């Protein structure tokens, strides 16, 4: 399961129909063969990273690429869990900034544990687990954002494009 499969289809197809037909396949393989033109290989490498197709690699492009290649595929249950967490954040008005959202979920865990303690019961471990999973996801995304900022700080002349 290649995390870049959709990007490869986008890069290899010439007619934007969402599929690679035989002609597109043969052209792609020809370009990627050892005797294929170096410029074509470099253009493909660039195009894979240029998500918005503006012929520039922006912070958003690099972030999108890094998220694609570092995230594990999610099951339908994980998609539901993420949607639940995002809805909870939106309902609480906490929709920006990883740190604020992480603090929100930590506070929710503390509240669950306090409520269980007050009721002399065990906390809902499934609910605690959902909040912990969201904290981990947000932490991972914050780390990727830091990597992108460092990369652009080192390699970009204007701080916006590579």
């Amino acid at each position: 399961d290649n995390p870049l499969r959709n990007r490869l289809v986008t890069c290899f197809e010439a007619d934007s129909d969402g599929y690679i037909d035989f002609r597109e396949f043969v052209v792609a393989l020809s370009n990627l063969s050892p005797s294929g033109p170096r410029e074509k290989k470099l253009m493909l490498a660039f195009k894979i990273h240029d998500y918005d197709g503006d012929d520039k690699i922006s912070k958003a492009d690099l972030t999108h690429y890094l998220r694609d290649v570092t995230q594990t595929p999610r099951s339908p249950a994980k998609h539901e869990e993420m949607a639940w967490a995002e809805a909870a954040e939106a309902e609480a008005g906490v929709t920006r900034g990883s740190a604020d959202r992480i603090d929100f979920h930590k506070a929710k865990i503390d509240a669950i544990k306090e409520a269980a303690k007050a009721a002399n019961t065990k906390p809902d471990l499934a609910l605690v687990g959902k909040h912990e999973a969201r904290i981990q996801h947000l932490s991972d995304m914050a780390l990727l954002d830091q990597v992108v900022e460092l990369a652009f700080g080192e390699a970009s002349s204007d701080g916006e494009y590579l």
Side-chain angles (χ1 to χ4, degrees):
D1 198 23
N2 186 336
L4 294 175
R5 69 185 176 280
N6 292 333
R7 291 298 306 146
L8 291 172
V9 169
T10 300
C11 294
F12 286 153
E13 66 168 343
D15 54 13
S16 301
D17 65 356
Y19 299 96
I20 298 174
D21 61 33
F22 181 73
R23 183 183 178 292
E24 293 164 335
F25 178 74
V26 170
V27 169
L29 288 183
S30 172
N31 287 332
L32 293 176
S33 72
S35 62
R38 183 171 189 251
E39 184 177 321
K40 294 283 186 177
K41 292 173 189 162
L42 292 172
M43 286 302 299
L44 173 63
F46 182 86
K47 195 172 178 182
I48 285 173
H49 292 80
D50 183 19
Y51 277 73
D52 59 12
D54 66 353
D55 294 328
K56 300 175 188 174
I57 307 274
S58 66
K59 287 180 183 180
D61 291 327
L62 186 57
T63 299
H64 200 155
Y65 172 81
L66 289 173
R67 287 183 180 170
D68 278 355
V69 299
T70 60
Q71 289 182 349
T72 55
R74 291 190 203 145
S75 66
K78 283 290 182 191
H79 278 290
E80 288 177 23
E81 195 173 284
M82 286 296 162
W84 168 84
E86 290 169 0
E89 293 162 8
E91 185 177 309
V94 183
T95 57
R96 295 198 173 222
S98 294
D100 289 343
R101 293 186 291 169
I102 288 170
D103 289 344
F104 166 77
H105 289 284
K106 286 180 178 178
K108 286 294 194 179
I109 291 170
D110 290 343
I112 292 166
K113 290 178 178 178
E114 288 296 321
K117 185 177 179 181
N120 202 26
T121 61
K122 292 184 178 183
D124 181 345
L125 296 180
L127 189 54
V128 168
K130 285 182 176 183
H131 287 288
E132 288 173 340
R134 183 62 174 171
I135 289 169
Q136 183 62 53
H137 175 77
L138 291 168
S139 297
D140 293 347
M141 294 303 99
L143 181 59
L144 283 179
D145 290 342
Q146 289 175 350
V147 168
V148 169
E149 288 299 324
L150 286 172
F152 272 79
E154 292 292 321
S156 175
S157 60
D158 64 3
E160 292 299 317
Y161 297 101
L162 290 179

